[in-house]
Amino acid sequence: MKHFRNPSLAGILFLITLAFGCQKEITPNPDNKDINNLVISPGFKYQTSKNINVTVTLPFTVDYSAIRGKVEIYYLLNDSLNVVYSGLGDENGILNANVNIPSFVDELYVRSVAGTKAIKIGNTLKSSQEGGYSINFGGDIDTLPPRIVNTLKSTVHSNEELLTITYKGRLKSSNNLINNGTFDINDFGSVARWSSFMPIDGRWYITNQLSGVAGRASDPNGITAINYVLHIGSKSPYYGGVGQMIPAAPGHLITASGKFKTSGNGQKHVWIYLIPYNSAGNPISYYSIINSTNPTNWTNLSIAATMPPGTAKCQVLLWTNNYGGDIYYDDIVATGPNPDSDNDGVVDSEDEYPNDPQRAFNYYYPASNTFSTITFEDNWPNKADYDFNDLVIDQRYKFVLNGKQQMVDIYGDFIVRAIGASYKNGFGFKLNILPNAIQSVSGQSITQNYITLNSNGTEAGQEKAVIIVTDNVFKQLPHPGSGTGVNTTPGAPYVQPQQQTIHITFNNPVSIGELNNPLVNPFLIVNQNRGREIHLIDNPPTTLANLDYFNTGADASNLAAGGYYKTANNLPWAIELPVSFEYTIEKEKITNAYLKFANWAETAGNDYSDWYISTEEGYRNGSKIYSYGSK
């Protein structure tokens, strides 16, 4: 070591060296730790998603004896709608759902025949299920006639539990019973009051109370230069409505929806009504949805009801109590009678297969418009280098269900995106059902000599159904001739990934509940050695796995306690992300690329649950993340 005779000069030179060194090695997170030095809870499973229970109460105004109300649960990511659950309510209109969502999601949307409501995760009324949430589509439905504010029901809009949804465009429907629902035609009739005679003529009628203050107007701050809406101003006696009559009959399921917003001072109460009339022209029931929150952005209102005996027609009524300012309505849609053409208990408007009695709707994992990514280290049971790119594969599953919520088909989409290794690895997944429950499997890539299949396409010798997607991932992503692996080395030729689809059919419909724990169990087969499998942490191996590999090398699994594929300090050999993950370049540890990974792991996932998706400063070092633009 070189010594300085002048301590002050040595200090100056040290500071200069340190300054230049910091400029060259600057990182937004100077405390970032190496993955090998992390202190991680033994119970942490590296889950980037979470399960929550959602109890949905569908509107009591609908008769569920012949149909089952469909419910979809979704979240938004970059304006993309990602459905994570589809299910049917029971004969009482109740649905209990277990939903798997990315840990960073803080708002879910629940869609039913009565519209869409939102759940604030962690800030919503809990259901009786621990860790669950409840949504009641009947909580703000009323069954009283149109009225003035002094006879309002005591509860108007459950704001502590339900949120409104903002529309982003004009609603379109090919089955709209309403004419002029966007108010492009300036043609309105007048009636003395809401219960006065209205013909079924596709025309809106304004009650006398709103004469002179209701009619078509240009939408202030509209999405186009000319966008017409229904405008209702305030006028003593401050109440009134605009209605249109549509055809209806007993037993018809009729829905009405639209959007509204308000401006100006003064309290405003806004309704959409469905009012069935008998052949004598008298109203016989009242079904309405109310909102009294005075939103300044477009907000939806939806009401659904089964028409009672004696119904001859139905009135869609936009009713208001306005004590100052302005109310705007737009995009009014009414649908009905909502037939069930294939008699599977799911009406055509909610049936994704309306003419197929064996199929009704799709259930997705991880979501309808999103792939999850599994990243593997393939050196198990030996120590990994933790760049998590030895195999990077995207996956998405579509479970096709019938009207009894039983599986008929499974479609699995897979994209091998990167191979940061020379091993000829395989990839497959295990289902928690017996192999003989499956009729056929198609779409597999079996080109080597170490996989044996049953006649139905499942792997032979397995206790539970195992589907081998590919026995050599290089067949899906060929090596370009230079670089380490494929699509992991900057500057090496880029290979365009291709999607592979697996189709599974069943001998008889199977309950999707049988697949839980986990829904699917994916795994890597190391270098054509069938007994050497790598699964996600604590996911059990298949029957054909060689258990002698456990507790050798760096593996510290506890098979008796159900602990698999982990090191002594609880590091995994595989991680699943609920999005298409931007993985690291070759030989760069994940902690060097994703600067909050260490914080996330050491807090058992409580901090920085968005470590892999956030682009905020201090979250990532982009130079260590593979970019297609640098290929």
Side-chain angles (χ1 to χ4, degrees):
M1 178 180 290
K2 187 174 182 179
H3 295 275
F4 291 97
R5 296 180 180 178
N6 187 331
S8 60
L9 178 60
I12 293 171
L13 291 174
F14 171 77
L15 291 175
I16 292 173
T17 302
L18 179 63
F20 278 101
C22 289
Q23 288 179 5
K24 292 172 67 177
E25 301 295 332
I26 190 168
T27 172
N29 187 358
D31 298 324
N32 192 52
K33 299 179 180 179
D34 184 276
I35 191 170
N36 292 292
N37 300 324
L38 300 185
V39 179
I40 301 170
S41 168
F44 184 48
K45 299 179 184 294
Y46 294 84
Q47 292 176 318
T48 52
S49 60
K50 56 189 174 185
N51 287 298
I52 64 169
N53 294 316
V54 179
T55 299
V56 180
T57 302
L58 295 169
F60 59 87
T61 51
V62 175
D63 179 6
Y64 301 103
S65 61
I67 67 166
R68 294 290 183 262
K70 183 181 177 183
V71 174
E72 287 187 323
I73 302 176
Y74 64 92
Y75 68 90
L76 297 176
L77 178 62
N78 300 325
D79 291 329
S80 176
L81 186 152
N82 292 282
V83 177
V84 293
Y85 182 90
S86 295
L88 301 175
D90 62 18
E91 64 275 8
N92 297 311
I94 305 296
L95 179 141
N96 293 304
N98 183 267
V99 184
N100 184 275
I101 59 173
S103 297
F104 61 80
V105 171
D106 58 7
E107 190 167 43
L108 280 180
Y109 300 94
V110 181
R111 180 166 55 196
S112 78
V113 67
T116 304
K117 296 185 182 296
I119 301 173
K120 277 289 188 183
I121 303 299
N123 188 31
T124 302
L125 182 67
K126 295 293 179 70
S127 71
S128 59
Q129 299 180 8
E130 184 178 357
Y133 302 85
S134 64
I135 284 289
N136 185 355
F137 281 93
D140 46 358
I141 288 178
D142 205 355
T143 56
L144 296 175
R147 58 214 180 277
I148 59 176
V149 72
N150 61 6
T151 57
L152 280 173
K153 63 185 293 188
S154 58
T155 301
V156 289
H157 203 69
S158 307
N159 291 310
E160 79 281 2
E161 179 179 320
L162 306 178
L163 303 174
T164 53
I165 308 302
T166 300
Y167 279 91
K168 294 188 176 181
R170 307 200 83 188
L171 194 62
K172 302 297 181 185
S173 174
S174 59
N175 186 34
N176 193 0
L177 299 175
I178 289 290
N179 283 300
N180 197 24
T182 55
F183 306 101
D184 296 323
I185 302 171
N186 192 18
D187 179 25
F188 296 86
S190 61
V191 290
R193 56 192 305 269
W194 64 267
S195 57
S196 301
F197 173 77
M198 293 182 192
I200 303 177
D201 61 357
R203 195 180 189 204
W204 290 106
Y205 287 84
I206 302 171
T207 65
N208 281 348
Q209 298 98 331
L210 297 181
S211 177
V213 296
R216 186 179 78 154
S218 295
D219 172 21
N221 304 315
I223 60 173
T224 61
I226 301 176
N227 184 28
Y228 293 108
V229 298
L230 174 66
H231 169 251
I232 299 175
S234 60
K235 175 186 176 182
S236 179
Y238 310 117
Y239 63 90
V242 180
Q244 184 174 146
M245 200 68 72
I246 61 174
H252 283 182
L253 173 60
I254 302 294
T255 67
S257 63
K259 63 183 183 181
F260 83 101
K261 64 180 177 180
T262 66
S263 65
N265 297 322
Q267 179 62 46
K268 304 166 188 67
H269 309 283
V270 178
W271 290 261
I272 290 184
Y273 267 90
L274 287 175
I275 306 177
Y277 284 69
N278 61 22
S279 57
N282 299 316
I284 55 177
S285 295
Y286 307 93
Y287 313 109
S288 67
I289 189 82
I290 181 174
N291 189 300
S292 300
T293 61
N294 298 342
T296 56
N297 293 319
W298 286 117
T299 301
N300 78 318
L301 284 175
S302 299
I303 182 71
T306 301
M307 295 294 101
T311 298
K313 58 183 178 180
C314 183
Q315 182 186 41
V316 177
L317 178 66
L318 314 177
W319 188 254
T320 61
N321 285 183
N322 186 0
Y323 290 82
D326 302 279
I327 299 171
Y328 302 92
Y329 281 97
D330 199 6
D331 292 346
I332 310 302
V333 171
T335 64
N338 287 306
D340 178 11
S341 298
D342 54 14
N343 296 312
D344 62 355
V346 183
V347 295
D348 290 357
S349 62
E350 298 180 339
D351 196 332
E352 296 179 70
Y353 305 87
N355 298 308
D356 185 346
Q358 305 303 319
R359 294 167 176 80
F361 58 94
N362 300 321
Y363 183 110
Y364 295 93
Y365 176 83
S368 56
N369 290 325
T370 301
F371 284 80
S372 71
T373 298
I374 305 178
T375 61
F376 288 95
E377 287 290 327
D378 68 0
N379 205 34
W380 180 85
N382 299 312
K383 185 177 179 181
D385 61 8
Y386 296 113
D387 56 11
F388 282 106
N389 66 15
D390 292 348
L391 175 62
V392 179
I393 185 167
D394 284 3
Q395 63 171 9
R396 178 179 60 201
Y397 299 88
K398 180 176 74 174
F399 304 91
V400 182
L401 277 61
N402 62 20
K404 297 180 180 180
Q405 299 196 94
Q406 298 170 317
M407 286 188 300
V408 180
D409 304 277
I410 298 177
Y411 291 87
D413 294 328
F414 304 93
I415 304 174
V416 177
R417 293 173 52 211
I419 305 170
S422 59
Y423 284 169
K424 296 178 180 178
N425 297 320
F427 176 81
F429 60 93
K430 181 172 76 169
L431 298 173
N432 191 33
I433 55 176
L434 296 176
N436 61 11
I438 291 175
Q439 182 182 84
S440 65
V441 181
S442 62
Q444 298 162 283
S445 174
I446 307 298
T447 62
Q448 312 300 302
N449 297 316
Y450 70 97
I451 299 295
T452 303
L453 299 181
N454 294 315
S455 60
N456 64 356
T458 61
E459 187 176 25
Q462 296 283 8
E463 179 184 358
K464 294 296 179 75
V466 171
I467 313 300
I468 302 300
V469 177
T470 176
D471 59 3
N472 181 359
V473 293
F474 281 107
K475 296 295 183 180
Q476 282 65 53
L477 199 69
H479 193 277
S482 63
T484 301
V486 189
N487 294 350
T488 61
T489 304
Y494 177 70
V495 179
Q496 182 65 48
Q498 303 296 319
Q499 180 171 305
Q500 179 184 358
T501 298
I502 300 293
H503 180 203
I504 302 170
T505 62
F506 295 92
N507 290 311
N508 297 293
V510 177
S511 170
I512 195 168
E514 295 183 33
L515 294 188
N516 288 329
N517 302 317
L519 194 62
V520 291
N521 182 351
F523 61 93
L524 178 147
I525 302 171
V526 180
N527 203 27
Q528 303 186 38
N529 180 347
R530 183 58 194 87
R532 192 175 167 192
E533 297 178 359
I534 301 174
H535 293 246
L536 295 167
I537 194 168
D538 287 342
N539 276 9
T542 76
T543 307
L544 296 183
N546 184 348
L547 302 185
D548 291 341
Y549 282 106
F550 289 100
N551 299 119
T552 64
D555 182 79
S557 298
N558 185 345
L559 276 62
Y564 304 95
Y565 300 102
K566 59 179 71 177
T567 67
N569 60 333
N570 201 38
L571 290 175
W573 276 268
I575 298 176
E576 181 178 7
L577 296 309
V579 297
S580 189
F581 179 59
E582 298 178 22
Y583 54 89
T584 58
I585 61 176
E586 187 63 26
K587 300 303 180 184
E588 285 291 350
K589 292 182 176 65
I590 195 169
T591 45
N592 295 334
Y594 287 92
L595 308 179
K596 301 301 183 185
F597 178 94
N599 307 77
W600 171 74
E602 289 195 314
T603 61
N606 291 316
D607 292 346
Y608 300 105
S609 62
D610 59 347
W611 65 267
Y612 55 91
I613 197 170
S614 177
T615 56
E616 293 183 20
E617 184 177 355
Y619 269 76
R620 59 175 62 188
N621 184 339
S623 67
K624 301 182 186 301
I625 297 173
Y626 185 78
S627 172
Y628 300 157
S630 64
K631 57 183 178 288

